[in-house]
């Protein structure tokens, strides 16, 4: 029998989208009515149904505009942008025509026709069964759910009082995240929704703890029930008892006090007691991330996931649009370095306007650099924009999902061609933009020396490296227990990479999520990494941890970890340093 993804324990575990602790009453948001009425429509009433549909589309557009204004006033234009995209989706006349055709052809009511349309959208954009894909189809169908609500006169937000709440929903969507005012939002839990959805980006930008991947959760909730949510651990306690509540409050006040204290020290470099420095950079996914960290506290951007900038738009951004986006990032960070990763779509990350194939094994499929090398015009436009934006700035380019030297050589050729064309057209272009590769695919480990000879730096994408090294799909809840970044094979691979990079005289960094853990960051320093790049929330803890140890301690830790042959062993060694850091 297959394992149940979630047992009926009082503590349930899911996927962390956004860290932090929250405790409070739950408000279950029903993003769509439970039952959509269905009836047949006589020929002479078809016109009426179409009128009802059109009126509902207008009403839904108004509601989205209202939300756009609300979010813009509460958290800025960038956060509100998703609602503009949703309004554009609703303005697509071919979609409205499609629903009208269903009403006419099948002689059914408008609600039913809209529901069919939503189902069709979800089928089209659900070539995978993963949570994150479900969240993309949700992004596309959300505006149409709004139409359904308007037709059925459902009031969407409306929680009973105006106190603070933890929102719970079937799917994490931007509507869910913004269904109560930001100052009332304690946290969010959802049965489904990947950490790569727009909604997840919003949750992180709002800085509220958020956990997804909790199948069956809603059945177990009642409006107002108390939840204790640990966003970092991805756990949710249902109806905590008095003792758990007071423990939780205690943990939370300790966490708040600690974070306030660390934030004050974050301007200091991450320098060990004996003077070695680990540069701590941040990963960004949106320009709005600038609201959640202090540029002066970072050593730069180690990973700009450009695909998320693409996702914030209704179609591929033009060269000039990309130029402006990249320039903004580079200018905000100057003189600090900015590492732009070329488009990393496919697998679990999709663009609503770019249909990728249905694949049996998407993680092993058409993704990252493979897409860029096939759709070379996409890559060319991106590199043109980046090279134009990078003039006079410390910009680096990073290639995702590299599996072979041939791919790197082919990419260099494209970059050289783009550079040559720009120069010919009279653009100014820096001649020495460093190009690096993500180390995510195990084949790279076996060809590392040759690859290092052809790149300027490497950055280890442990999120993917772990999945490929251990053959565990990072989005598959059935095997999530086996997804173990602290597997000895991972640690040994990390050591091998650092050693090879050092021998080649090339900088190496880790930009996958495992570097978010301060004990791991210290281990990475000990293994010989120059830098880590982490989500901004984790930067203060990491800098603090590095400042507390000596390089000798970090090296000793790395040696001890490398001597372990089990996950348990690695964890035990790391927990010692963790205790020391918290002492
Ligand atoms: C990684 O794989 O570790 C990484 C940083 O890339 P992403 O999480 O965007 O796949
Ligand atoms: Mg990756």
């Amino acid at each position: 029998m297959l394992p149940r993804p979630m047992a009926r324990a009082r503590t349930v575990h899911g996927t962390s989208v956004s860290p932090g602790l929250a405790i409070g009453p739950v408000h279950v948001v029903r993003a769509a009515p439970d039952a959509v009425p269905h009836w047949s429509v006589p020929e002479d009433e078809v016109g009426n149904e179409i009128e009802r549909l059109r009126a509902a589309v207008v009403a839904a557009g108004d509601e989205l505009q209202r939300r756009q204004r609300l979010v813009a006033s509460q958290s800025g234009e960038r956060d509100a942008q998703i609602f503009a995209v949703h309004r554009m989706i609703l303005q697509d006349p071919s979609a409205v025509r499609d629903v009208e055709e269903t009403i006419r052809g099948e002689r059914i009511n408008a609600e039913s026709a809209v529901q069919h349309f939503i189902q069709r959208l979800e089928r089209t954009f659900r070539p995978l069964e993963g949570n994150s894909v479900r969240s993309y189809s949700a992004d596309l169908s959300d505006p149409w759910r709004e139409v359904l609500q308007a037709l059925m006169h459902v009031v969407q937000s409306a929680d009973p009082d105006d106190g603070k709440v933890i929102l719970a929903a079937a799917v994490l969507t931007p509507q869910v995240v913004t269904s109560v005012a930001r100052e009332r939002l304690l946290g969010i839990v959802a049965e489904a929704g990947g950490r790569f959805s727009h909604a997840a980006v919003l949750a992180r930008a709002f800085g509220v703890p958020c956990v997804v991947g909790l199948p069956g959760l809603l059945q177990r909730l009642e409006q107002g029930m108390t939840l204790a949510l640990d966003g970092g651990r991805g756990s949710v306690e249902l109806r905590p008892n008095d003792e758990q509540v007071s423990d939780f409050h205690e943990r939370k006040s300790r966490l708040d006090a600690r974070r306030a204290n660390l934030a004050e020290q974050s301007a200091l470099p991450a320098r060990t007691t004996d003077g070695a420095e680990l540069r701590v950079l941040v990963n960004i996914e949106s320009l709005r991330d600038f609201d959640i960290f202090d540029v002066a506290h970072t050593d730069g951007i180690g990973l700009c996931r450009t695909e998320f900038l693409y996702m914030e738009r209704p179609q591929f951004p033009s060269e000039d649009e990309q130029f402006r986006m990249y320039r903004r990032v580079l200018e905000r960070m100057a003189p600090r370095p900015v590492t732009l990763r070329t488009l990393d779509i496919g697998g679990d990350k999709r663009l609503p306007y770019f249909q990728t194939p249905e694949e049996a094994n998407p993680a092993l499929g058409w993704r990252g650099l493979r897409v860029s090398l096939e759709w070379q015009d996409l890559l060319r436009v991106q590199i043109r924009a980046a090279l134009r934006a990078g003039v006079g700035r410390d910009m680096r380019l990073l290639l995702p999902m590299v599996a072979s030297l041939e791919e790197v050589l082919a990419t260099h050729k494209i970059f050289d061609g783009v550079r040559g064309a720009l120069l010919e057209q009279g653009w100014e272009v820096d001649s020495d933009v460093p190009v690096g590769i993500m180390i995510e695919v195990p084949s790279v480990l076996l060809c590392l020396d040759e690859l290092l000879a052809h790149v300027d730096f490497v950055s280890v994408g442990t999120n993917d490296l772990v999945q490929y090294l251990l053959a565990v799909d990072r989005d598959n809840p059935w095997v999530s227990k086996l997804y173990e970044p602290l597997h000895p094979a991972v640690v040994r691979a990390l050591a091998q990479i650092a050693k090879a990079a050092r021998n080649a005289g090339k900088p190496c960094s880790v930009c996958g999520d495992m570097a978010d853990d301060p004990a791991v960051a210290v281990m990475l320093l000990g293994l010989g990494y120059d830098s880590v790049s982490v989500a901004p929330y984790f930067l203060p803890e990491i800098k603090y941890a590095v400042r507390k140890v000596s390089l000798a301690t970090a090296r000793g830790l790395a040696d001890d970890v490398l001597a372990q042959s089990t996950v348990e062993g690695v964890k035990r060694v790391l927990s010692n340093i963790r205790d020391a850091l918290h002492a």
Side-chain angles (χ1 to χ4, degrees), residues 196 303 305 307 341 344 348-349 367 400-401 438-440 460-465 467-468 474 511-512:
F196 301 117
L303 172 64
R305 292 179 160 105
E307 58 276 7
R341 181 172 73 180
D344 187 20
D348 50 13
K349 284 180 279 183
R367 53 170 308 198
M401 276 295 291
M438 300 275 294
I439 299 188
E440 299 175 298
V460 190
T462 48
N463 302 341
D464 276 315
L465 183 62
Q467 95 163 331
Y468 295 126
R474 69 195 249 196
C511 62

Side-chain angles (χ1 to χ4, degrees), residues 265-562:
Q265 306 173 29
S266 286
L268 301 170
R271 191 168 295 140
T272 59
T273 51
D274 46 0
E277 193 166 333
L278 180 73
R279 289 183 315 116
V280 185
L281 298 89
V282 290
N283 297 345
I284 68 161
E285 285 137 27
S286 165
L287 296 174
R288 68 170 71 91
D289 289 351
F290 282 112
D291 300 341
I292 55 173
F293 68 92
D294 186 337
V295 168
H297 293 179
T298 77
D299 290 311
I301 289 177
L303 172 64
C304 174
R305 292 179 160 105
T306 59
E307 58 276 7
F308 288 90
L309 303 175
Y310 280 56
M311 280 177 206
E312 289 174 354
R313 283 169 171 69
Q315 62 203 19
F316 278 112
S318 66
E319 180 183 323
D320 282 343
E321 272 182 283
Q322 292 191 56
F323 165 79
R324 284 193 294 274
M325 295 185 312
Y326 303 150
R327 190 75 194 168
R328 280 234 295 275
V329 175
L330 286 154
E331 270 168 7
R332 277 298 280 277
M333 293 306 295
R336 294 170 178 77
V338 170
T339 308
L340 292 182
R341 181 172 73 180
T342 62
L343 194 60
D344 187 20
I345 51 165
D348 50 13
K349 284 180 279 183
R350 300 191 166 239
L351 301 174
Y353 44 84
F354 182 59
Q355 200 155 358
T356 39
E358 289 199 21
E359 297 174 282
N361 285 309
L364 302 181
W366 203 55
R367 53 170 308 198
L369 190 63
R370 298 168 186 185
V371 176
S372 296
L373 287 177
E374 221 162 293
W375 287 67
Q376 293 191 4
D377 284 347
L378 284 183
L379 182 63
R380 284 200 184 90
V381 170
Q382 180 166 39
I383 297 308
R384 278 181 67 91
L387 289 178
R388 282 172 51 202
V391 175
R393 297 281 179 243
D394 189 347
M395 182 186 71
R396 294 132 198 229
L397 297 170
L398 180 61
L399 312 178
M401 276 295 291
V402 170
S404 70
L405 179 59
E406 287 89 332
E407 288 169 340
V408 173
L409 297 179
T411 310
H412 279 315
K413 212 164 152 195
I414 295 172
F415 285 9
D416 289 346
V418 170
R419 194 176 287 114
L422 282 170
L423 289 171
E424 232 170 69
Q425 290 159 8
W427 295 103
E428 200 188 331
V429 180
D430 287 346
S431 57
D432 51 356
V433 175
V435 177
I437 55 169
M438 300 275 294
I439 299 188
E440 299 175 298
V441 181
S443 59
V444 167
L445 299 177
L446 304 174
C447 303
L448 203 47
D449 294 338
E450 290 96 325
L451 277 156
L452 277 162
H454 292 273
V455 298
D456 300 303
F457 64 98
V458 295
S459 187
V460 190
T462 48
N463 302 341
D464 276 315
L465 183 62
V466 171
Q467 95 163 331
Y468 295 126
L469 215 45
L470 305 185
V472 178
D473 181 343
R474 69 195 249 196
D475 287 316
N476 182 340
W478 302 102
V479 287
S480 58
K481 280 206 199 95
L482 301 174
Y483 183 94
E484 187 43 84
L486 297 179
H487 192 293
V490 176
V491 181
R492 291 172 199 184
L494 286 166
Q496 182 202 333
I497 296 163
K499 190 167 169 211
R502 213 176 28 252
N503 287 344
K506 306 277 164 88
C508 63
S509 158
V510 173
C511 62
D513 285 8
M514 76 181 280
D516 290 347
D517 177 340
V520 170
V522 171
M523 174 193 82
L524 292 171
L525 174 68
L527 287 174
Y529 284 85
D530 326 296
S531 64
V532 292
S533 189
V534 297
Y537 180 90
F538 302 97
L539 179 132
E541 284 279 359
I542 289 172
K543 287 185 131 184
Y544 169 79
V546 173
R547 279 201 307 276
K548 269 202 107 173
V549 299
S550 64
L551 182 60
T553 305
R555 286 186 174 150
L557 173 73
D559 288 344
D560 289 349
V561 166
L562 284 172

